Amino acid sequence: MSSRFLRTSLLIGAVSLLAACSPSEEPQKPETRTAAEPTAEAPAEAVREEAKAQSDQPESGVDYHSFANTSDFRVKHVDLDLTVDFDRKVLEGEAKLQLKRLTDKKKPLILDTRGLEIESVEAGHGGQLQPVKFSMGETDPNLGTPLKIELPKNATAVSIRYRTSPDASGVQWLEPQQTAGGEHPFLFTQAQAIHARSFVPLQDTPQVRITYNATIRTPEELRAVMSADNDPEAEMDGVFEFSMPQPIPSYLLALAVGDLEFKPMGERTGVYAEPELLESAAAEFEDTESMLEATEEAYGPYRWDRYDLLILPPSFPFGGMENPRLSFITPTVIAGDKSLVALIAHELAHSWSGNLVTNASWRDLWLNEGFTTYLTNRIMQNIYGDERYRMEMALGYDDLKADLADRPDGDEIMAIDLRGRDPDEVFSNIPYEKGSLFLYELEQKVGRENFDQFLLDYFNNFAFQSITTEDFEQYLEKTLLAQYPDKLDAERIRQWIHEPGIPEGAPVPTSDAFSKIDPVREQWLNGEMAAADIDTSDWTYHQWKYFLDGMPEKLSEEQLQALDSAFNLTESKNNEIAFSWLMIAVRNDYQPAFERLENFLTEIGRNKFLRPLYRNLVESGKQEMAAQIFEQAKAGYHPLTVKVNSKIIYGDDAE
C-alpha cells in the first residue's frame, strides 16, 4: 500500500539463486504461529492480555490479530464460488479450503470471520465431504468472530456456505452516481490489514499463504477482475473464472466488479478502468512497463506474470493497494503530467517487497513498506532522473519528521507493539519513511552496488515466505554485518528498528530544487516580492508542494488572496497541490476556498487527504462544519474511511 500516499511505494544482473524457491515449492522455514492457541471459548482478547502479562514485548512470530490455530492447520488453497448481489449488497456462495494438518490430535479448525452469516459447513477427505458441527465464538471489536469447526478424523478439506454483511468492513458497494460513468454500480474489496475475513472465512493472517481459484457471478453488463489471472477478452456472460497459482497472504485477496474496459500499456502491463477514465489513465501511467523492466534488472525477475492497474472510483480510501497482478489505484493521481506516478512505482515495487517477501504480522509491516518505499525512490531515479529522486526523498523525509512530531514514542518504533489495538493503526510514515531511511543509511555505508546485491539475495532467499523482524535481523547479521563489520554496527541497527525517533547522525535527504524555493518564499512573506512576480514557470508539483507546506501556520487574508489570485490555487487540478492549499485555507479561515473544500471532501475518499483536513477543521474550531460535510459525504466513503474520520470528528468513542 502506498506510503506518503497514505498519510492514509539498478543495475546488476540476475543470478542463479532465482530458481531457489519457485511458487510451487514449500518454503524451508520454521512455521510461525498465531497467538497462544486462541479458541472460540477463549477469544483473542484474553489471549492477548495473558501474553502481555507474560512479556513486556510482543513475541516474535505471533500474530495477535488472528483467531486461527495455525500451529494445528494451515490453509493451502481456497476455491471460491461467489455471486455478486448489488440489490442486497452481499457476496453469497461457497469457500472450499484445502488444509495441511500439522497435528495428529483431534482438534477443531478455527477460522477468522467478521460479520459473515454461515449457512452450513462440510468437511472431509478425498472429495468426500459431510456436514459437520460449527459454532461462532465471542466477537472481538477489532478482530471479528472466530468460527470453530469440528473436523472428522484426517479431514483435509472444508466447504463453507456463507454470505457477507451489507456493511462488510472490506467491501464497498457504490451506487451508479458514485462512479465515473454514472450508469452502473461498482464493487471493490480492500482486505489489508485484516478485512479479508469480512468477505471470506479463512486464516486471515499474513503468516499463511494460499493459492486460489474463483468463480464470480455478476450482472452480465459488468466485468469482474481479481488479484489473479485476468482475461480482458473474457466473454461478458456474467460468469468469470480466475486462478492465482502463486501463494499469497489473505490481505492480497481482491475483487472488483464494474463497467470496466482494458487498454494495454506494454507487453506485460495494462490498465482496467471505466471507459471515461481509460485513455487518460493509460497515458498517465504509460511508463509502467519501463518501471517493471528497471526493477527486474536490479532485483530479479517479476514473478507474477502480468502487472496491470485497476483505476477505482474516487471513494477508494488509499492511494493504491498492491494486489498482485492487479494493483488497485486511486484516480486522484491522474494529474495529466505524470507528477504523481511515484504511487505506481510504489505499488509495483511491492511485487518484490511485500507480495514476494511478506511481513509475518502487522508488527512487522515496515518489512513491507520500508523496503517498498526505498525501492520506489530507486525506480523513480532510474526512470525520471536524479533531481526527481532527490525531491521524492526530501518530501518523504519531511513527511516522516511531521509524523514524528505528532506521535507517542511507542508509535515511532518500526517493530511496533500492536497488541490490543486495531492493526489499521500501524499505517503511518514510520514503517514507510523511517524504514526507507534506515535502508538508505545501510546503502550509504556499504555502497549502492553492494546494497543492491544484498537486496537481490534477500528477495531470492525469502521468496514466497512471510518473515518477522527477527528473521530479518538474523539474516542481516549473517550477511551485511558479517561482510562489513567496520562499517555497520549491530547496536545502531537495533536502535533504528526498536527505538523511537531517528538515530543521531542519520542521513538527511535534501534537494537543490527545494533550496531555491526557500528564499523565494521568504522574500514573499517579508513583502519584498509580490506573488504575481514569483516565477513558477519551471516549478514541478514537488516544488509547489514544498512551497506551500513550508508556509507559516498563519497568513493574512491579503497574503492568501494574493497567492490565490496569482496562481488560482483554489481551483488547482493537481489534488496534492489542492490538498496543501486547502490545509492552509482551513487554518486561516480563508472563506473563498471553502466551497472547493466541501467539494474536495465530498468527491474524494482518499484518507491521505481526508484525515488531515477533517482534523484540521476540528482543531481550528470548525467541528460543526466538519460534521456537516462528513454527514453529507459519508454515504460515498469506504467503511474504513467512515471509521477513521468519525473518531476524528466525534471523538474516540464514535462508531
CSV table of all heavy atoms in Angstrom, one decimal, residues 191-220:
chain,number,residue,atom,x,y,z
A,191,ALA,N,-8.7,-5.7,1.5
A,191,ALA,CA,-8.5,-6.7,2.5
A,191,ALA,C,-7.5,-6.3,3.6
A,191,ALA,O,-7.5,-6.8,4.7
A,191,ALA,CB,-8.1,-8.0,1.9
A,192,GLN,N,-6.5,-5.5,3.3
A,192,GLN,CA,-5.5,-5.1,4.2
A,192,GLN,C,-6.1,-4.1,5.3
A,192,GLN,O,-6.8,-3.2,4.9
A,192,GLN,CB,-4.3,-4.4,3.5
A,192,GLN,CG,-3.1,-4.3,4.4
A,192,GLN,CD,-1.9,-3.7,3.6
A,192,GLN,OE1,-2.1,-2.8,2.8
A,192,GLN,NE2,-0.7,-4.1,3.9
A,193,ALA,N,-5.8,-4.3,6.6
A,193,ALA,CA,-4.9,-5.3,7.1
A,193,ALA,C,-5.7,-6.6,7.4
A,193,ALA,O,-5.2,-7.7,7.0
A,193,ALA,CB,-4.3,-4.7,8.4
A,194,ILE,N,-6.8,-6.6,8.1
A,194,ILE,CA,-7.5,-7.8,8.5
A,194,ILE,C,-8.9,-7.8,8.0
A,194,ILE,O,-9.8,-8.2,8.8
A,194,ILE,CB,-7.3,-8.2,10.0
A,194,ILE,CG1,-7.9,-7.0,10.8
A,194,ILE,CG2,-5.9,-8.4,10.3
A,194,ILE,CD1,-8.1,-7.4,12.3
A,195,HIS,N,-9.2,-7.3,6.8
A,195,HIS,CA,-10.6,-7.2,6.3
A,195,HIS,C,-10.9,-8.3,5.3
A,195,HIS,O,-12.1,-8.4,4.9
A,195,HIS,CB,-10.8,-5.9,5.7
A,195,HIS,CG,-10.5,-4.7,6.6
A,195,HIS,ND1,-11.4,-4.4,7.6
A,195,HIS,CD2,-9.4,-3.9,6.8
A,195,HIS,CE1,-10.9,-3.4,8.4
A,195,HIS,NE2,-9.7,-3.1,7.9
A,196,ALA,N,-10.0,-9.2,5.0
A,196,ALA,CA,-10.4,-10.4,4.1
A,196,ALA,C,-11.4,-11.2,4.8
A,196,ALA,O,-12.3,-11.8,4.2
A,196,ALA,CB,-9.2,-11.2,3.8
A,197,ARG,N,-11.3,-11.3,6.2
A,197,ARG,CA,-12.3,-12.1,6.9
A,197,ARG,C,-13.7,-11.6,6.9
A,197,ARG,O,-14.6,-12.3,7.3
A,197,ARG,CB,-11.8,-12.2,8.4
A,197,ARG,CG,-11.8,-10.8,9.1
A,197,ARG,CD,-11.1,-10.9,10.5
A,197,ARG,NE,-9.7,-11.1,10.4
A,197,ARG,CZ,-8.8,-11.2,11.4
A,197,ARG,NH1,-9.3,-11.1,12.6
A,197,ARG,NH2,-7.6,-11.4,11.2
A,198,SER,N,-13.9,-10.4,6.4
A,198,SER,CA,-15.2,-9.8,6.2
A,198,SER,C,-15.9,-10.3,4.9
A,198,SER,O,-17.1,-10.1,4.8
A,198,SER,CB,-15.2,-8.3,6.3
A,198,SER,OG,-14.7,-7.7,5.1
A,199,PHE,N,-15.1,-10.9,4.0
A,199,PHE,CA,-15.8,-11.5,2.8
A,199,PHE,C,-15.4,-12.9,2.5
A,199,PHE,O,-15.9,-13.5,1.5
A,199,PHE,CB,-15.6,-10.5,1.6
A,199,PHE,CG,-14.2,-10.2,1.2
A,199,PHE,CD1,-13.5,-10.9,0.3
A,199,PHE,CD2,-13.6,-9.1,1.8
A,199,PHE,CE1,-12.2,-10.5,-0.1
A,199,PHE,CE2,-12.3,-8.7,1.4
A,199,PHE,CZ,-11.6,-9.4,0.5
A,200,VAL,N,-14.4,-13.5,3.2
A,200,VAL,CA,-14.1,-14.9,3.1
A,200,VAL,C,-13.7,-15.4,4.5
A,200,VAL,O,-12.9,-14.8,5.2
A,200,VAL,CB,-12.9,-15.1,2.1
A,200,VAL,CG1,-12.7,-16.6,2.0
A,200,VAL,CG2,-13.2,-14.5,0.7
A,201,PRO,N,-14.3,-16.6,4.9
A,201,PRO,CA,-13.9,-17.2,6.1
A,201,PRO,C,-12.5,-17.9,5.9
A,201,PRO,O,-12.5,-18.9,5.1
A,201,PRO,CB,-15.0,-18.2,6.5
A,201,PRO,CG,-15.6,-18.5,5.1
A,201,PRO,CD,-15.4,-17.3,4.3
A,202,LEU,N,-11.5,-17.5,6.6
A,202,LEU,CA,-10.2,-18.1,6.3
A,202,LEU,C,-9.2,-17.8,7.5
A,202,LEU,O,-9.6,-17.2,8.5
A,202,LEU,CB,-9.6,-17.6,5.0
A,202,LEU,CG,-9.8,-16.2,4.6
A,202,LEU,CD1,-9.3,-15.2,5.5
A,202,LEU,CD2,-9.1,-15.9,3.2
A,203,GLN,N,-8.0,-18.2,7.3
A,203,GLN,CA,-7.0,-17.9,8.3
A,203,GLN,C,-6.4,-16.5,7.9
A,203,GLN,O,-5.5,-16.4,7.0
A,203,GLN,CB,-5.9,-18.9,8.3
A,203,GLN,CG,-6.3,-20.3,8.9
A,203,GLN,CD,-5.3,-21.3,8.8
A,203,GLN,OE1,-4.5,-21.4,7.9
A,203,GLN,NE2,-5.2,-22.2,9.8
A,204,ASP,N,-7.0,-15.5,8.5
A,204,ASP,CA,-6.7,-14.1,8.0
A,204,ASP,C,-5.4,-13.6,8.7
A,204,ASP,O,-5.5,-12.6,9.5
A,204,ASP,CB,-7.9,-13.2,8.2
A,204,ASP,CG,-7.8,-11.9,7.4
A,204,ASP,OD1,-6.9,-11.8,6.6
A,204,ASP,OD2,-8.6,-11.0,7.7
A,205,THR,N,-4.3,-14.1,8.4
A,205,THR,CA,-3.0,-13.7,8.9
A,205,THR,C,-2.0,-13.7,7.8
A,205,THR,O,-2.0,-14.7,7.0
A,205,THR,CB,-2.6,-14.6,10.1
A,205,THR,OG1,-1.2,-14.3,10.4
A,205,THR,CG2,-2.7,-16.1,9.7
A,206,PRO,N,-1.1,-12.8,7.7
A,206,PRO,CA,-0.1,-12.8,6.6
A,206,PRO,C,0.9,-13.9,6.8
A,206,PRO,O,1.7,-14.1,5.8
A,206,PRO,CB,0.6,-11.4,6.8
A,206,PRO,CG,0.3,-11.0,8.2
A,206,PRO,CD,-1.0,-11.5,8.5
A,207,GLN,N,0.9,-14.6,7.9
A,207,GLN,CA,1.8,-15.8,8.0
A,207,GLN,C,1.4,-16.9,7.0
A,207,GLN,O,2.2,-17.7,6.6
A,207,GLN,CB,1.7,-16.4,9.4
A,207,GLN,CG,2.2,-15.4,10.5
A,207,GLN,CD,1.9,-16.0,11.9
A,207,GLN,OE1,1.4,-17.2,12.0
A,207,GLN,NE2,2.2,-15.3,12.9
A,208,VAL,N,0.1,-17.0,6.7
A,208,VAL,CA,-0.4,-18.1,5.9
A,208,VAL,C,-0.6,-17.6,4.5
A,208,VAL,O,-1.2,-16.6,4.2
A,208,VAL,CB,-1.8,-18.5,6.4
A,208,VAL,CG1,-2.4,-19.6,5.5
A,208,VAL,CG2,-1.7,-19.1,7.9
A,209,ARG,N,0.0,-18.4,3.5
A,209,ARG,CA,0.0,-18.0,2.1
A,209,ARG,C,-0.8,-19.1,1.4
A,209,ARG,O,-0.7,-20.3,1.7
A,209,ARG,CB,1.4,-18.0,1.5
A,209,ARG,CG,2.3,-17.0,2.2
A,209,ARG,CD,3.7,-16.9,1.6
A,209,ARG,NE,3.6,-16.2,0.3
A,209,ARG,CZ,4.0,-15.0,0.2
A,209,ARG,NH1,4.4,-14.3,1.2
A,209,ARG,NH2,4.0,-14.4,-1.0
A,210,ILE,N,-1.7,-18.6,0.5
A,210,ILE,CA,-2.6,-19.5,-0.2
A,210,ILE,C,-2.6,-19.3,-1.7
A,210,ILE,O,-2.3,-18.2,-2.1
A,210,ILE,CB,-4.1,-19.3,0.3
A,210,ILE,CG1,-4.5,-17.9,0.1
A,210,ILE,CG2,-4.3,-19.7,1.8
A,210,ILE,CD1,-6.0,-17.6,0.2
A,211,THR,N,-2.9,-20.3,-2.4
A,211,THR,CA,-3.3,-20.1,-3.8
A,211,THR,C,-4.8,-20.2,-3.9
A,211,THR,O,-5.4,-20.6,-2.9
A,211,THR,CB,-2.7,-21.3,-4.7
A,211,THR,OG1,-3.1,-22.5,-4.2
A,211,THR,CG2,-1.2,-21.2,-4.7
A,212,TYR,N,-5.4,-19.6,-5.0
A,212,TYR,CA,-6.8,-19.7,-5.0
A,212,TYR,C,-7.3,-19.7,-6.5
A,212,TYR,O,-6.7,-19.3,-7.4
A,212,TYR,CB,-7.4,-18.5,-4.2
A,212,TYR,CG,-7.4,-17.2,-4.9
A,212,TYR,CD1,-8.4,-16.8,-5.8
A,212,TYR,CD2,-6.4,-16.2,-4.6
A,212,TYR,CE1,-8.5,-15.5,-6.4
A,212,TYR,CE2,-6.5,-15.0,-5.2
A,212,TYR,CZ,-7.5,-14.6,-6.1
A,212,TYR,OH,-7.5,-13.4,-6.6
A,213,ASN,N,-8.5,-20.3,-6.6
A,213,ASN,CA,-9.3,-20.3,-7.8
A,213,ASN,C,-10.6,-19.6,-7.4
A,213,ASN,O,-11.1,-19.7,-6.3
A,213,ASN,CB,-9.6,-21.6,-8.4
A,213,ASN,CG,-8.3,-22.3,-8.9
A,213,ASN,OD1,-7.4,-21.7,-9.3
A,213,ASN,ND2,-8.3,-23.6,-8.8
A,214,ALA,N,-11.3,-19.0,-8.4
A,214,ALA,CA,-12.6,-18.3,-8.1
A,214,ALA,C,-13.5,-18.3,-9.3
A,214,ALA,O,-13.0,-18.1,-10.4
A,214,ALA,CB,-12.3,-16.9,-7.6
A,215,THR,N,-14.7,-18.5,-9.0
A,215,THR,CA,-15.8,-18.3,-10.0
A,215,THR,C,-16.7,-17.1,-9.4
A,215,THR,O,-17.2,-17.3,-8.3
A,215,THR,CB,-16.7,-19.5,-10.2
A,215,THR,OG1,-15.9,-20.6,-10.7
A,215,THR,CG2,-17.8,-19.2,-11.2
A,216,ILE,N,-16.8,-16.1,-10.2
A,216,ILE,CA,-17.5,-14.9,-9.7
A,216,ILE,C,-18.7,-14.7,-10.7
A,216,ILE,O,-18.5,-14.6,-11.9
A,216,ILE,CB,-16.6,-13.6,-9.7
A,216,ILE,CG1,-15.4,-13.9,-8.8
A,216,ILE,CG2,-17.4,-12.4,-9.2
A,216,ILE,CD1,-15.7,-14.2,-7.3
A,217,ARG,N,-19.9,-14.6,-10.1
A,217,ARG,CA,-21.1,-14.4,-10.9
A,217,ARG,C,-21.6,-13.0,-10.7
A,217,ARG,O,-21.9,-12.6,-9.6
A,217,ARG,CB,-22.1,-15.5,-10.5
A,217,ARG,CG,-21.6,-16.9,-10.5
A,217,ARG,CD,-22.5,-18.0,-10.0
A,217,ARG,NE,-21.8,-19.2,-9.8
A,217,ARG,CZ,-21.6,-20.1,-10.8
A,217,ARG,NH1,-22.1,-19.9,-12.0
A,217,ARG,NH2,-20.9,-21.2,-10.5
A,218,THR,N,-21.8,-12.3,-11.8
A,218,THR,CA,-22.1,-10.9,-11.8
A,218,THR,C,-23.3,-10.6,-12.8
A,218,THR,O,-23.6,-11.4,-13.6
A,218,THR,CB,-20.9,-10.1,-12.3
A,218,THR,OG1,-20.7,-10.2,-13.7
A,218,THR,CG2,-19.6,-10.5,-11.6
A,219,PRO,N,-23.8,-9.4,-12.7
A,219,PRO,CA,-24.7,-8.9,-13.8
A,219,PRO,C,-24.0,-9.0,-15.1
A,219,PRO,O,-22.8,-8.7,-15.2
A,219,PRO,CB,-25.1,-7.5,-13.4
A,219,PRO,CG,-24.9,-7.5,-11.9
A,219,PRO,CD,-23.8,-8.4,-11.6
A,220,GLU,N,-24.7,-9.4,-16.2
A,220,GLU,CA,-24.0,-9.6,-17.4
A,220,GLU,C,-23.3,-8.4,-18.0
A,220,GLU,O,-22.4,-8.5,-18.8
A,220,GLU,CB,-25.0,-10.2,-18.5
A,220,GLU,CG,-25.4,-11.6,-18.1
A,220,GLU,CD,-26.1,-12.3,-19.2
A,220,GLU,OE1,-26.3,-11.7,-20.3
A,220,GLU,OE2,-26.6,-13.4,-19.1
